[in-house]
């Protein structure tokens, strides 16, 4: 019961209504809007709120306005617009706790419309099918999460990354992304959470530069936590 209450309280705050204005679209940008699982082309007249999910293809991008804030989503990314939200540290900690509490089998993201390994859209407005494997879909989600951080939504970017790791477990082996988001935890002074991440990262197949970086961060975090 406590678990359910925590999840409800977080979701009710995280999914508050937000309306977005499209400023500019370059290249091939599509969206899933509302409860629809179909991808549709996006232009300056498309209406978007936080129920939408944006997908940018290679060499494409979109610029959005949320109130007075300008957000640019670059190529090869998937961003759920609900993730474009300022969170406090307490809200971030609550979201991380919620991820730890979730103890259900992994579910395929709603943006995947397939029962096999990894189609992220059966049909896009009658055009040729677009197929990528599940790992690549996860990478596009992680690209989107990184861009949340680049647009100033660091806390939300961490939440999106952790959710992606859970939904697409193969992405947990992508060391460059794992290190990027672990460093974001450090930037928010979440040393225990960052140490847990780096301890996991240390068991991955790291190159020499990543090994040095990981060892340095683990030593740094242990010293911080001993104070």
């Amino acid at each position: 019961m406590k678990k359910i209450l925590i999840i409800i309280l977080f979701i009710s705050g995280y999914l508050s209504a937000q309306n977005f204005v499209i400023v500019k679209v370059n290249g091939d940008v599509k969206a899933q809007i509302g409860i629809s699982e179909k991808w549709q082309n996006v232009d300056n007249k498309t209406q978007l709120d936080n129920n939408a999910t944006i997908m940018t293809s290679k060499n494409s991008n979109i610029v959005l306005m949320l109130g007075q804030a300008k957000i640019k989503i670059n190529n090869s990314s998937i961003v759920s617009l609900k993730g474009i939200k300022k969170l406090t540290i307490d809200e971030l900690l609550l979201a991380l706790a919620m991820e730890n509490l979730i103890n259900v089998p992994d579910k395929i993201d709603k943006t995947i419309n397939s029962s096999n390994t990894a189609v992220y859209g059966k049909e896009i407005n009658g055009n040729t099918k677009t197929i990528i494997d599940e790992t690549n879909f996860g990478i596009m989600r992680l690209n989107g999460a990184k861009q949340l951080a680049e647009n100033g939504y660091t806390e939300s970017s961490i939440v999106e990354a952790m959710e992606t790791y859970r939904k697409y477990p193969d992405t947990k082996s992508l060391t460059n992304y794992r290190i990027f988001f672990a460093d974001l935890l450090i930037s928010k002074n979440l040393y225990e959470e960052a140490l847990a991440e780096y301890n996991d990262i240390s068991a991955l197949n790291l190159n020499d530069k990543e090994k040095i970086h990981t060892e340095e961060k683990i030593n740094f975090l242990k010293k911080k936590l001993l104070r």
Side-chain angles (χ1 to χ4, degrees):
M1 185 66 183
K2 183 178 179 181
K3 169 183 173 180
I4 295 172
L5 179 61
I6 289 173
I7 293 173
I8 291 173
L9 287 173
F10 176 74
I11 290 177
S12 63
Y14 194 65
L15 297 183
S16 57
Q18 303 179 99
N19 292 317
F20 293 81
V21 176
I22 297 175
V23 176
K24 189 175 183 180
V25 177
N26 291 314
D28 182 18
V29 179
K30 293 182 170 61
Q32 287 184 332
I33 299 175
I35 62 173
S36 173
E37 293 188 348
K38 290 186 177 180
W39 293 100
Q40 65 181 64
N41 293 322
V42 171
D43 59 30
N44 290 344
K45 296 180 181 179
T46 306
Q47 300 294 312
L48 298 174
D49 61 20
N50 63 346
N51 293 312
T53 298
I54 293 289
M55 177 173 66
T56 57
S57 300
K58 186 177 180 180
N59 300 321
S60 303
N61 61 69
I62 182 172
V63 179
L64 305 169
M65 292 293 295
L66 176 60
Q68 298 300 312
K70 182 180 289 187
I71 302 106
K72 185 176 183 182
I73 302 172
N74 289 310
N75 61 297
S76 302
S77 298
I78 293 173
V79 175
S80 296
L81 297 189
K82 67 179 176 60
I84 303 178
K85 183 178 178 69
K86 294 287 187 181
L87 299 178
T88 66
I89 292 297
D90 285 343
E91 288 170 332
L92 171 57
L93 287 170
L94 180 59
L96 295 177
M98 185 180 76
E99 281 295 321
N100 290 331
L101 282 171
I102 294 174
N103 188 24
V104 294
D106 292 337
K107 295 179 181 179
I108 300 299
D109 192 281
K110 81 166 191 174
T111 49
I112 297 179
N113 189 18
S114 172
S115 59
N116 61 28
T117 60
V119 181
Y120 69 75
K122 275 187 177 179
E123 183 177 349
I124 302 178
N125 290 343
N127 295 330
T128 304
K129 293 179 181 178
T130 304
I131 301 175
I132 55 177
D133 66 37
E134 194 169 321
T135 300
N136 286 337
F137 190 90
I139 289 172
M140 293 179 76
R141 291 289 302 265
L142 290 177
N143 286 341
K146 286 183 72 172
Q147 289 175 56
L148 289 181
E150 292 166 2
N151 280 283
Y153 298 88
T154 303
E155 292 82 2
S156 291
S157 77
I158 294 170
V159 175
E160 293 296 308
M162 298 304 170
E163 182 180 296
T164 301
Y165 297 152
R166 172 170 54 82
K167 290 185 175 181
Y168 307 98
D170 286 348
T171 62
K172 296 184 75 173
S173 66
L174 302 175
T175 55
N176 56 331
Y177 290 99
R178 293 292 298 274
I179 287 172
F180 178 87
F181 291 107
D183 284 346
L184 288 188
L185 288 168
I186 295 175
S187 75
K188 294 299 174 180
N189 298 328
L190 298 180
Y191 299 136
E192 289 185 10
E193 292 78 7
L195 181 58
E197 272 295 291
Y198 266 113
N199 282 333
D200 285 347
I201 291 168
S202 66
L204 299 177
N205 185 22
L206 304 172
N207 61 38
D208 290 342
K209 184 177 179 180
E210 290 170 337
K211 286 179 182 178
I212 293 171
H213 182 87
T214 298
E215 290 171 1
E216 288 177 346
K217 293 301 182 182
I218 288 174
N219 290 333
F220 166 79
L221 291 164
K222 286 180 176 178
K223 290 177 182 179
K224 282 288 187 181
L225 291 170
L226 284 174
R227 291 179 181 176

